[in-house]
Amino acid sequence: MTKPLSPRTLRFCEEFAVDMNGGAAAIRAGYAEKSAAQHASRALADPRVKTRIDSLLAKQAERIELNADWIVSRLMKEAEGDGKDTTQAGRVRALELLGKRVPNFFPPQKLALTDPSGTRPLGCIVVPAKEAASYGDGPTDSGGGVETHAAPG
């Protein structure tokens, strides 16, 4: 049997559901400002906390009638420039977010890996575009390099 969450941790969950800011939620839940970020990080790694927060967010989404269809329709209006005060940056961001819902919108990337000196090729791997961004471009911490190219279709 799993240990129940403490009252302060339950309060953290409720506060996190308000603005999804871990540090601020920890402070509002009563943790010291100096260590709030550490408490938030530790709490968010706990599967029981994740489950509680997911439950709170699901209830909130149901209460305010928030669903994927509504979000997509709002993004489409923004992308088409139909909303008040739309901007070029807002339209581009809306299109980017909509594109994430389309399979293969972000094609796989081919990564060319080099040794720490950056001169000797070590090989290539193909990874999803989202992962390719995490590899960075150019020298790594160990001195090696990663070059990104679109993978052949």
Side-chain angles (χ1 to χ4, degrees):
M1 186 168 146
T2 61
K3 184 178 172 184
L5 296 173
S6 71
R8 194 178 341 183
T9 303
L10 289 170
R11 177 66 191 260
F12 168 80
C13 295
E14 292 167 4
E15 293 296 340
F16 186 81
V18 170
D19 59 8
M20 301 189 69
N21 180 326
I27 292 168
R28 293 191 305 264
Y31 292 99
E33 195 171 327
K34 190 173 184 178
S35 59
Q38 291 86 356
H39 285 292
S41 179
R42 194 175 312 120
L44 292 170
D46 184 334
R48 299 171 302 155
V49 170
K50 289 179 184 177
T51 300
R52 178 69 181 149
I53 290 170
D54 287 346
S55 171
L56 291 167
L57 292 174
K59 287 177 186 174
Q60 181 186 60
E62 185 178 321
R63 188 175 62 251
I64 63 172
E65 299 178 5
L66 178 66
N67 61 46
D69 290 338
W70 182 85
I71 292 170
V72 168
S73 71
R74 297 295 300 160
L75 286 170
M76 289 174 68
K77 284 181 181 179
E78 179 70 24
E80 293 167 353
D82 288 348
K84 283 196 260 180
D85 303 321
T86 61
T87 65
Q88 177 68 20
R91 289 189 294 275
V92 169
R93 180 69 176 142
L95 286 169
E96 180 184 347
L97 291 170
L98 287 166
K100 290 181 178 184
R101 300 186 57 83
V102 178
N104 297 322
F105 181 75
F106 295 103
Q109 299 288 307
K110 179 180 176 183
L111 302 180
L113 307 173
T114 61
D115 69 343
S117 69
T119 57
R120 188 178 57 147
L122 297 176
C124 294
I125 58 173
V126 176
V127 297
K130 290 178 186 175
E131 286 182 33
S134 68
Y135 286 96
D137 205 73
T140 62
D141 290 339
S142 62
V146 179
E147 238 179 88
T148 311
H149 306 282

